[in-house]
């Protein structure tokens, strides 16, 4: 329990290029995990956490990486951070990608973490992917600290960053520090709890010098400190009462209030610094150890008992049966590496555990603690640990238990976004075909957002994913890691179909072939499923049984539901999947001899087809949220180009550097090849990010064009 109390499981998440990996590199250095700092870009071996060659080449994080560090605190008579001291807090860190195409890496990491650092660029503030990451943190109820990075950059402003957290993300964001200097004059920070100034000396900022607050900043410090106390005191009634009576809370009381606010998800403390210039990272680590929860303090996870459908709270204790979750898998030379979070019990090398999804038992041959791509063999792991099992065959999201009496337990799964873009992929050489098949099989297993399927009409192999970069990376990995010469076809948009009006259905399936026949009648209503009526964020079909009086026996209701759902695979307009349909089964008839599951499934299938045709079906296209950052002189050209792509400009703003940020919603079909076009008419100075926003009705001319192309394709195939 003592070890668990000193454990922190945290993620580092942010918009692309906010400095997550650079921050993690400094944390590794200050915790003696590495002895030389490498940069994300600029030669050398590259940052420790970006171990893939493609990550080093592109300067971005593609896959999340885990490591464990030990933090001993800032010590040394209040003046120096001393290396080699007794290590107090064990921190398991997962560095996640910032690019939206790899968002599932963030999803599955946050699913198993107890806390997070939300990194923001202090120049740009809250950006598009910051909003997505924040939404993911809220989905999994992860307490977080905010870190305003890049305080050394021109235009950096910590106060604007705090305001953006409040205005754009609705956080109760409170500054814990104020900066000493700004931009290239940024020297350190003043801590508002201790009222001390922190400076970072030495070649790598390893020597922390603590002094009194500079005289010229005392007035500003007092102002923001009073604001901080006013906001954090409300998390402890005794401290609030003391404060209202004019008595100043002690440092320990303030720490207690801040921790309570963070763990209740009601408070976001805001820290600042420059990871690249080695400033203020150690103070952030102090905050991680002090404010983010241990496995004992965080919200207790729950498992579902499949027999009773009840939720079981999992206490993070060692003396109860093992329950753990495989949240990420990667295929390696010597077998599968399964990243695992242990929620309850103890896992020993050599133990036999059970997969509650497959009901199969497996033996744990080897366990490791990860440091990016390096690994340290371990013999035992406890509740609260994040480790990796070697050579275990399972799927991402599987639950493992230590006793077959717990085989009915399963942990809540991971939210997986739906793919929005697809490519055809093929090899001419038979040897390459085998390599391609092996590569695709591996990547599908590793990445739930990467899909592979065979087009029914053309027989083509297709890959689907979250964006052009997502698929481009996998194609490049197939070429490099499997030495397969592959060709890819033009990108295809994953259109959808839906209905726009309510309609009734009444269908009778009757067939007599001698002996017992087939009979089933279904009567009810089909209507559009609205977003606020969905049981879950990604629900696309809802079935409601309103049968009374046994007109359709209960044993046939499941067959009816399957029959209705069968039709969701292919819509009537262009054979794209149907979404957002709600079916009410209200009445029907059955025959004592001729009715069967098959009869009612066929009846429901035919009823659904007729109803969809009568319910004003429409074609939907994926709309992407696009954020373009550009120098001011290219703004007009970029807005004009977006408009020519059927884009809707949502607004634009100018950041402190004078660059313009243009926000727009653009159909995915119009965005292919946009990156090269943007580079050409901005002299390579503009950048953009794109993520799926919603499905929206196609304009009639586009719908007709898509339907005609689809019809021609199906005819040719």
């Amino acid at each position: 329990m003592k070890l668990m109390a000193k454990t922190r499981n945290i993620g580092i998440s942010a918009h692309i290029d906010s400095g997550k990996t650079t921050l993690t590199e400094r944390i590794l250095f200050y915790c003696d995990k590495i002895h030389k700092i490498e940069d994300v870009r600029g030669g050398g071996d590259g940052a420790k956490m970006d171990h893939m060659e493609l990550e080093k080449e592109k300067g971005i994080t593609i896959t999340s990486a885990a490591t464990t560090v030990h933090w001993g605190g800032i010590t040394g008579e209040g003046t120096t951070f001393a290396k080699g001291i007794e290590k107090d807090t064990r921190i398991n860190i997962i560095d996640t990608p910032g690019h939206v195409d790899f968002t599932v890496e963030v999803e599955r990491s946050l699913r198993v973490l107890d806390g997070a650092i939300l990194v923001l660029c202090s120049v740009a503030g809250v950006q598009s992917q910051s909003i997505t990451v924040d939404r993911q943190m809220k989905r999994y109820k992860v307490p977080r600290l905010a870190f305003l990075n890049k305080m050394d950059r021109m235009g950096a402003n910590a106060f604007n960053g705090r305001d953006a957290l409040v205005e754009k993300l609705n956080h109760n964001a409170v500054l814990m520090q104020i900066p000493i200097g700004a931009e290239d004059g940024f020297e350190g920070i003043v801590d508002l709890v201790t009222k001390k100034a922190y400076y970072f000396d030495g070649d790598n900022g390893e020597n922390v010098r603590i002094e009194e607050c500079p005289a010229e900043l005392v007035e500003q410090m007092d102002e923001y400190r009073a604001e901080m106390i006013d906001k954090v005191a409300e998390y402890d009634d005794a401290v609030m009462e003391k404060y209202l009576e004019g008595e100043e809370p002690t440092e320990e009381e303030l720490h207690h209030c801040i921790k309570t606010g963070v763990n209740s998800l009601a408070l976001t403390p805001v820290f600042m610094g420059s990871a690249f210039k080695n400033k203020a990272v150690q103070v952030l680590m102090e905050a991680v150890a002090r404010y983010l929860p241990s496995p004992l303090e965080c919200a207790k996870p729950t498992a579902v008992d499949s027999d009773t459908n009840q939720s079981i709270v999992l206490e993070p204790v060692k003396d109860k049966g093992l329950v753990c979750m495989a949240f990420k898998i990667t295929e390696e030379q010597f077998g599968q590496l399964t990243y695992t979070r242990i929620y309850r019990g103890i896992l020993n090398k050599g133990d036999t555990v059970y997969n509650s999804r497959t009901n199969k038992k497996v033996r744990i041959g080897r366990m490791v603690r990860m440091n990016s791509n390096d690994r340290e063999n371990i013999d035992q792991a406890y509740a609260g640990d994040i480790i990796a099992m070697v050579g275990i065959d399972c799927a991402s999201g599987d639950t493992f238990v230590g006793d077959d009496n717990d085989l009915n337990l399963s942990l809540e799964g991971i939210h997986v976004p739906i793919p929005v873009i697809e490519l055809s992929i093929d090899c001419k050489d038979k040897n390459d075909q085998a390599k391609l098949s092996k590569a695709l099989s591996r990547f599908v297993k590793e990445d739930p957002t990467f899909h592979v399927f065979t087009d029914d009409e053309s027989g083509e192999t297709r890959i689907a994913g979250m964006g052009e970069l997502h698929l481009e990376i996998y194609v490049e990995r197939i070429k490099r890691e499997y030495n397969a010469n592959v060709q890819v076809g033009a990108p295809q948009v994953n259109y959808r179909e839906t209905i726009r009006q309510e309609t009734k259905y009444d269908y009778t399936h009757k067939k007599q072939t001698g002996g017992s026949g087939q009979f089933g009648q279904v009567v009810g209503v089909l209507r559009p499923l609205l977003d606020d009526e969905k049981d879950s964020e990604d629900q696309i079909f809802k079935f409601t049984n309103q049968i009374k009086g046994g007109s359709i026996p209960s044993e046939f209701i499941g067959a009816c539901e399957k029959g209705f759902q069968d039709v969701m695979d292919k819509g009537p307009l262009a054979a794209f999947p149907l979404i957002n349909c709600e079916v009410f089964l209200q009445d029907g008839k059955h025959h004592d001899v001729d009715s069967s599951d098959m009869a009612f499934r066929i009846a429901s299938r035919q009823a659904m087809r007729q109803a969809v045709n009568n319910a004003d079906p429409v074609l939907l296209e994926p709309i992407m949220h696009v954020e373009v950052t550009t120098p001011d002189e290219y703004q007009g050209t970029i807005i004009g180009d977006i408009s020519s792509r059927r884009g809707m400009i949502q607004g634009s703003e100018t950041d402190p550097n004078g660059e313009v940020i243009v926000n727009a919603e653009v159909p995915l079909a119009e965005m292919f090849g946009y990156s090269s076009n943007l580079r050409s008419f901005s002299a390579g100075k503009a950048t953009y990010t794109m993520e799926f926003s919603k499905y929206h009705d196609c304009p009639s001319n586009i719908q007709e064009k898509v339907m005609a192309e689809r019809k021609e394709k199906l005819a040719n195939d």
Side-chain angles (χ1 to χ4, degrees):
M1 298 292 275
K2 186 177 179 182
L3 177 63
M4 219 182 302
K6 291 188 173 185
T7 296
R8 302 290 182 272
N9 294 312
I10 69 166
I12 300 181
S13 303
H15 183 90
I16 189 171
D17 204 28
S18 294
K20 300 176 301 302
T21 303
T22 303
L23 174 62
T24 310
E25 186 82 355
R26 270 55 180 182
I27 291 172
L28 292 174
F29 179 77
Y30 297 133
C31 293
D32 279 347
K33 200 72 177 182
I34 58 174
H35 303 289
K36 179 186 177 186
I37 292 174
E38 296 282 1
D39 292 328
V40 175
R41 298 182 178 91
D45 295 329
K48 178 69 177 176
M49 302 301 274
D50 283 350
H51 57 83
M52 288 174 58
E53 287 301 320
L54 279 168
E55 290 179 316
K56 293 173 184 176
E57 284 180 21
K58 293 181 177 290
I60 62 171
T61 301
I62 293 170
T63 181
S64 57
T67 189
T68 300
V69 300
H70 294 269
W71 174 250
I74 299 175
T75 67
E77 299 183 25
T79 56
T80 308
F81 168 70
K83 289 194 170 190
I85 61 171
E86 179 185 357
K87 307 304 184 185
D88 294 322
T89 306
R90 183 178 69 180
I91 304 176
N92 297 315
I93 301 173
I94 298 182
D95 175 32
T96 62
H99 199 288
V100 68
D101 283 16
F102 311 108
T103 190
V104 75
E105 293 285 341
V106 185
E107 288 280 354
R108 56 187 174 190
S109 298
L110 290 174
R111 168 63 183 83
V112 300
L113 293 171
D114 305 327
I117 301 172
L118 174 61
V119 182
L120 302 175
C121 172
S122 58
V123 179
V126 172
Q127 298 166 274
S128 60
Q129 190 64 8
S130 310
I131 297 171
T132 301
V133 167
D134 179 66
R135 187 164 60 242
Q136 291 167 325
M137 289 180 181
K138 288 174 179 173
R139 177 182 295 129
Y140 298 111
K141 297 181 173 58
V142 178
R144 83 294 304 262
L145 312 176
F147 181 67
L148 298 173
N149 195 20
K150 304 188 179 183
M151 284 294 296
D152 60 301
R153 295 283 184 92
M154 183 180 294
N157 189 308
F159 308 102
N160 288 348
R162 185 274 313 269
D163 293 344
L165 279 165
V166 174
E167 294 163 9
K168 294 186 177 181
L169 299 182
N170 296 317
H171 281 219
N172 181 22
V174 181
L175 287 173
M176 295 290 115
Q177 304 163 343
I178 58 172
I180 302 173
E183 300 178 347
D184 57 1
F186 177 65
E187 297 179 40
I189 56 94
V190 175
D191 186 280
L192 296 180
V193 175
T194 64
K195 300 194 285 189
K196 299 290 185 181
Y198 288 73
Y199 300 90
F200 305 89
D201 302 328
D203 293 340
N204 297 299
E206 63 268 32
N207 298 321
V208 180
R209 179 164 43 93
I210 305 174
E211 297 183 355
E212 295 300 318
C213 175
E216 67 273 15
L217 291 177
V218 168
E219 187 176 333
Q220 186 186 44
M221 178 195 70
D222 288 340
E223 176 192 345
Y224 282 100
R225 189 171 193 270
E227 181 182 302
M228 180 269 292
I229 295 174
D230 191 51
K231 289 193 173 181
V232 305
E234 65 183 72
Y235 299 107
D236 187 297
D237 292 340
V239 175
M240 174 61 84
E241 187 176 339
K242 182 179 178 179
Y243 178 60
L244 291 175
E245 290 173 355
E247 191 177 344
E248 187 168 293
T250 66
E251 287 183 21
E252 285 309 310
E253 286 173 333
L254 287 175
H255 289 317
H256 169 72
C257 290
I258 295 165
K259 181 165 186 171
T260 302
V262 169
N263 291 352
S264 68
L265 305 177
L267 177 70
T268 304
V270 181
F271 300 85
M272 63 197 68
S274 169
F276 184 65
K277 291 296 178 69
N278 311 309
K279 296 185 188 298
V281 174
Q282 298 97 317
V283 185
L284 176 66
M285 291 300 291
E286 288 280 83
V288 167
R290 194 183 291 275
Y291 302 134
L292 290 180
S294 71
L296 294 171
E297 299 164 323
C298 67
K300 302 297 184 292
T302 58
V304 176
D305 186 322
S306 56
D307 292 342
T308 63
N309 210 29
Q310 290 183 328
S311 293
I312 309 295
V313 176
L314 299 177
E315 295 290 340
V317 293
K318 300 177 185 177
D319 56 357
K320 288 191 177 180
L322 172 76
V323 180
C324 60
M325 180 183 190
F327 67 92
K328 171 183 165 74
I329 60 177
T330 59
E331 287 287 341
E332 308 247 323
Q333 183 180 357
F334 302 108
Q336 181 173 298
L337 191 66
T338 304
Y339 290 78
T340 307
R341 166 68 193 263
I342 302 174
Y343 287 104
R344 192 180 74 186
I346 299 176
L347 182 64
N348 295 294
K349 177 182 175 182
D351 280 355
T352 296
V353 298
Y354 296 82
N355 186 326
S356 63
R357 177 180 64 86
T358 64
N359 290 351
K360 292 181 179 179
K361 62 181 180 180
V362 293
R363 184 179 178 276
I364 308 300
R366 183 183 171 204
M367 297 191 303
V368 295
R369 202 176 298 283
M370 300 300 297
N371 178 29
S372 185
N373 205 34
D374 298 331
R375 57 205 69 180
E376 167 197 347
N377 288 316
I378 57 174
D379 295 328
Q380 193 173 61
Y382 305 92
D385 268 345
I386 293 178
I387 54 99
M389 303 183 293
V390 180
I392 302 298
D393 185 29
C394 67
S396 180
D398 280 357
T399 301
F400 287 94
V401 296
D403 190 326
D404 61 359
N405 291 325
D406 290 328
L407 270 175
N408 54 336
L409 294 183
S410 60
L411 288 153
E412 178 191 349
I414 300 163
H415 173 74
V416 178
I418 58 174
V420 295
I421 182 175
E422 62 185 57
L423 295 170
S424 63
I425 188 166
D426 194 18
C427 297
K428 290 185 177 178
D429 187 280
K430 282 190 176 181
N431 292 330
D432 283 347
Q433 192 71 47
K435 295 175 186 175
L436 173 63
S437 178
K438 187 176 180 182
L440 294 179
S441 177
R442 169 192 168 185
F443 295 146
V444 164
K445 197 172 183 183
E446 290 182 358
D447 184 351
T449 60
F450 180 71
H451 291 207
V452 177
F453 60 96
T454 301
D455 187 279
D456 290 339
E457 291 81 17
S458 66
E460 286 182 329
T461 299
R462 293 186 175 275
I463 56 175
M466 303 305 297
E468 282 187 287
L469 179 62
H470 189 208
L471 298 185
E472 177 190 318
I473 291 294
Y474 276 119
V475 170
E476 188 63 30
R477 288 185 66 185
I478 291 167
K479 291 177 179 177
R480 291 189 185 197
E481 296 175 25
Y482 289 87
N483 197 27
N485 185 20
V486 297
Q487 287 112 18
V488 294
Q492 300 293 314
V493 178
N494 283 348
Y495 291 95
R496 294 288 185 267
E497 299 181 28
T498 193
I499 56 173
R500 285 288 175 251
Q501 71 181 36
E502 184 176 306
T503 186
K504 295 180 179 179
Y505 62 84
D506 182 346
Y507 187 86
T508 302
H509 172 64
K510 186 187 298 184
K511 188 175 183 182
Q512 196 68 42
T513 55
S516 60
Q518 293 182 3
F519 180 86
Q521 182 185 9
V522 289
V523 179
V525 173
L526 170 69
R527 73 179 186 90
L529 177 60
L530 305 178
D531 286 342
D532 58 2
E533 298 169 331
K534 294 182 178 181
D535 296 332
S536 63
E537 188 177 327
D538 53 354
Q539 185 177 24
I540 61 173
F541 172 78
K542 189 174 183 180
F543 172 77
T544 303
N545 176 24
Q546 296 181 332
I547 293 293
K548 294 177 182 177
S551 56
I552 299 178
S554 59
E555 62 263 30
F556 297 136
I557 300 300
C560 292
E561 181 177 359
K562 288 178 182 175
F564 291 124
Q565 199 157 11
D566 286 344
V567 181
M568 299 293 290
D569 291 338
K570 287 188 178 181
L573 299 177
F576 288 108
L578 274 163
I579 63 172
N580 300 341
C581 293
E582 182 171 17
V583 178
F584 295 89
L585 180 60
Q586 298 172 330
D587 201 0
K589 290 180 182 177
H590 74 285
H591 188 277
D592 290 340
V593 176
D594 292 348
S595 290
S596 63
D597 277 356
M598 181 57 71
F600 274 103
R601 186 164 182 172
I602 292 171
S604 301
R605 198 180 293 161
Q606 294 301 112
M608 183 73 165
R609 287 192 178 118
Q610 289 184 3
V612 168
N613 280 311
N614 295 330
D616 189 18
V618 294
L619 195 67
L620 304 176
E621 62 180 346
I623 304 296
M624 312 302 286
H625 174 76
V626 179
E627 183 182 276
V628 184
T629 302
T630 176
D632 182 58
E633 63 262 34
Y634 304 114
Q635 179 182 0
T637 306
I638 285 169
I639 288 177
D641 181 68
I642 288 174
S643 298
S644 72
R645 296 171 182 269
R646 297 193 286 123
M648 296 291 293
I649 305 297
Q650 305 293 302
S652 63
E653 54 186 296
T654 303
D655 71 15
N657 281 340
E659 292 200 316
V660 177
I661 300 170
V662 179
N663 286 286
E665 289 190 339
V666 190
L668 174 62
E670 307 293 338
M671 288 299 294
F672 297 132
Y674 182 65
S675 55
S676 56
N677 283 4
L678 183 65
R679 282 195 297 269
S680 66
F681 55 62
S682 69
K685 296 177 182 177
T687 60
Y688 82 104
T689 61
M690 177 175 77
E691 67 177 311
F692 174 73
S693 173
K694 61 188 177 184
Y695 275 101
H696 193 267
D697 294 15
C698 277
S700 56
N701 63 317
I702 301 296
Q703 177 167 311
E704 290 170 7
K705 180 182 176 185
V706 172
M707 288 171 61
E709 289 176 352
R710 183 79 163 171
K711 185 177 180 180
E712 182 182 350
K713 181 180 182 302
L714 296 178
N716 290 338
D717 293 340

